[in-house]
Amino acid sequence: MAGRRDNQHPAMKNLLRHLLVGAVLSAGTCLWSANIVWISFHPADNSPSAPAADLGFTNAPDAPYTQLLRSQGHTVTRVVTFDNATVESVGFLNQYDLVIISRSVPSGHYETATENAAWHSLRVPVMILGGYVLRNNRLGFTTGTTIPDTASYELRLRVNDPTHPIFSGIPLDANNLTVQPYATIVEWNGVVQRGISVNTDPVAGGGRVLAVVGTEGDPAYDGMIIGEWDAGAVMAGPGNATLGGPRMVFLTGSREASGQTSEIAGMYDLIGIGPQLFLNAV
């Protein structure tokens, strides 16, 4: 979703980006280096929020994602999630190539019409990892609030558009099901966390659902895991704001176990083809 800012024609940028997707993952370095901002509860990889530290975390619960991005040559700046966003207060985010909203944020920071107008005004591409901020009483990427958690230890995806560049290098079977798993259930200090919170209502704004939960019997079966929206789409959240730039939903990160603080949500849960898909998406 991101690329260097330069004077190339947009069509040429897109062509180059598609050619580069997944091309050098096995070599350990990404050729398309992006300047990424990561929105999270946690101010630094080695500085978890106080509630997370109280549960024994010495690093941010979502740190493996930012560490993976840096290992591939991307620059990542953490910004602590903030309430009561306005168009003016989020404007500085347009200087980055990509904004990623971690699973590790409170959905209440993304619920009012003013907050919707602010976040949707961003011209820069935005990638969203958590389902709770997508509901129609939040940012409005879906038309409802239904959001079960996955329960599969080897969660597989069913791909709706195998030709999309995000699936470059991802093996699929005859039914477009990923051959390898995508994500698993994680635990912290012996406590099993809940799975990925997946929106199962229809998407709003003409979004394209690229992949869904494909593991039959899972509580979130057929729910969107990956989707994309074009600039200009009108969303279903408060105020029906219009997207100022492209958006991608890429659901990953655990939900906290019942009774634990939500500030440990978003623990890294990718396995199998999950890490490659994540890097392809970026």
Side-chain angles (χ1 to χ4, degrees):
M1 287 196 66
R4 289 189 177 93
R5 298 188 184 278
D6 52 37
N7 294 321
Q8 288 178 327
H9 189 278
M12 181 59 70
K13 284 186 176 182
N14 288 336
L15 174 61
L16 290 173
R17 185 176 295 116
H18 288 179
L19 290 174
L20 289 169
V21 165
V24 292
L25 293 180
S26 61
T29 302
C30 179
L31 290 178
W32 196 273
S33 177
N35 187 18
I36 300 169
V37 63
W38 183 270
I39 311 295
S40 172
F41 277 119
H42 314 288
D45 285 8
N46 61 356
S47 297
S49 68
D54 288 344
L55 283 180
F57 284 88
T58 56
N59 290 306
D62 58 0
Y65 293 98
T66 49
Q67 292 165 352
L68 175 60
L69 291 170
R70 292 191 183 100
S71 77
Q72 297 299 309
H74 300 298
T75 300
V76 183
T77 301
R78 280 180 173 265
V79 170
V80 175
T81 181
F82 51 96
D83 203 2
N84 301 313
T86 63
V87 172
E88 293 74 22
S89 67
V90 302
F92 75 99
L93 297 174
N94 283 310
Q95 69 183 294
Y96 294 92
D97 296 318
L98 173 65
V99 174
I100 299 180
I101 301 176
S102 172
R103 171 64 175 88
S104 193
V105 296
S107 68
H109 285 184
Y110 306 85
E111 65 179 341
T112 69
T114 300
E115 290 164 344
N116 270 247
W119 288 103
H120 291 328
S121 74
L122 292 173
R123 302 180 303 277
V124 64
V126 178
M127 185 171 164
I128 302 171
L129 307 190
Y132 273 91
V133 302
L134 302 179
R135 297 169 294 165
N136 69 344
N137 59 357
R138 297 298 190 262
L139 292 179
F141 284 84
T142 63
T143 59
T145 60
T146 309
I147 188 165
D149 303 317
T150 62
S152 303
Y153 278 83
E154 291 193 348
L155 187 75
R156 285 174 166 77
L157 305 183
R158 188 176 72 253
V159 173
N160 292 337
D161 183 4
T163 65
H164 194 285
I166 194 175
F167 303 113
S168 176
I170 304 300
L172 305 176
D173 68 13
N175 297 313
N176 289 332
L177 193 70
T178 57
V179 174
Q180 297 175 348
Y182 165 76
T184 190
I185 302 296
V186 299
E187 63 178 59
W188 174 253
N189 281 346
V191 179
V192 177
Q193 305 298 300
R194 288 176 284 192
I196 300 171
S197 300
V198 177
N199 313 89
T200 54
D201 292 307
V203 299
R208 297 178 293 279
V209 178
L210 303 179
V212 300
V213 173
T215 302
E216 293 189 14
D218 191 275
Y221 179 71
D222 211 32
M224 174 186 61
I225 292 288
I226 305 174
E228 63 180 0
W229 283 255
D230 295 328
V234 178
M235 309 312 288
N240 298 115
T242 299
L243 297 182
R247 302 292 185 259
M248 175 170 281
V249 166
F250 188 97
L251 297 186
T252 177
S254 60
R255 183 184 179 195
E256 74 282 359
S258 179
Q260 293 188 329
T261 173
S262 64
E263 296 194 25
I264 70 166
M267 291 174 59
Y268 185 87
D269 59 4
L270 298 174
I271 60 172
I273 48 90
Q276 183 176 353
L277 261 179
F278 178 66
L279 294 173
N280 284 0
V282 171

